[in-house]
Amino acid sequence: MIENSRKYILVLNGPNLNMLGTREPEIYGSKTLENIKDDMTSHGQGLGYNIDFRQSNSEGELVDWIQQSRAKMAAIIINAGAYTHTSVALLDALQSVEIPIIEVHLSNIFSREKFRHHSYISPVANGVICGFGVNSYILALEAAHDILNV
Ligand code: DQA
């Protein structure tokens, strides 16, 4: 019963994030996406949330999940991976959900190639956290919690 009354936070991960742990560890660290899921789940439980943690390499599937989150999720934390820099479709989907959105990145996208400096998602996000490795996700959860509790 208590479990069901908890708010849900949707954590969305875009393309290639399923490869964390082996993918460019000098940039993204050695933790796997499963490790991040476990950290987020336990931190979320501590703050009183159920974490719905998902990953897809498909832009359309991410759009579907964003659309379905309306009225079901309290907030969205999203690392859209490379779609951050390319996807008007994700922007449009996020624009319509009317719940808090926190954009996260493991790496500091502003210290990397110029094409990573622009995000289609940032204009509809409450805020952006990047550059703190897996801790970016935990900081995003704290930020969502702050927004939901004012
Ligand atoms: C990333 C940064 C993006 O530029 C890149 O395409 C990724 C990961 C990050 O978490 O640092 O896939 O979103």
Side-chain angles (χ1 to χ4, degrees), residues 15 23 28 79 81-82 85 105-107 109 112 116:
R23 175 192 182 199
Y28 298 116
N79 182 352
H85 318 297
H105 301 282
L106 295 148
S107 63
I109 55 175
R112 301 182 63 194
R116 295 186 204 274

Side-chain angles (χ1 to χ4, degrees), residues 96-115:
S96 70
V97 292
E98 294 172 340
I99 55 176
I101 296 161
I102 318 291
E103 176 182 347
V104 296
H105 301 282
L106 295 148
S107 63
N108 179 356
I109 55 175
F110 301 103
S111 69
R112 301 182 63 194
E113 304 95 319
K114 203 152 194 255
F115 66 85

Side-chain angles (χ1 to χ4, degrees), residues 7-113:
K7 289 181 176 164
Y8 275 79
I9 292 182
L10 179 63
V11 183
L12 286 183
N13 295 279
N16 299 305
L17 291 166
N18 55 315
M19 301 304 287
L20 285 180
T22 51
R23 175 192 182 199
E24 300 178 273
E26 65 288 357
I27 296 175
Y28 298 116
S30 56
K31 281 204 172 184
T32 64
L33 197 63
E34 201 58 31
N35 295 148
I36 297 176
K37 180 184 178 177
D38 291 346
D39 289 353
M40 289 293 273
T41 302
S42 60
H43 202 85
Q45 293 280 334
L47 292 175
Y49 301 100
N50 285 324
I51 301 298
D52 187 342
F53 194 94
R54 303 181 189 198
Q55 188 276 333
S56 178
N57 292 326
S58 150
E59 187 177 18
E61 189 161 38
L62 292 165
V63 168
D64 287 342
W65 288 339
I66 293 166
Q67 289 178 0
Q68 290 157 15
S69 73
R70 209 188 157 90
K72 287 192 199 129
M73 300 289 163
I76 297 177
I77 293 169
I78 180 164
N79 182 352
Y83 292 144
T84 304
H85 318 297
T86 62
S87 180
V88 177
L90 284 182
L91 166 67
D92 286 348
L94 289 167
Q95 196 144 31
S96 70
V97 292
E98 294 172 340
I99 55 176
I101 296 161
I102 318 291
E103 176 182 347
V104 296
H105 301 282
L106 295 148
S107 63
N108 179 356
I109 55 175
F110 301 103
S111 69
R112 301 182 63 194
E113 304 95 319

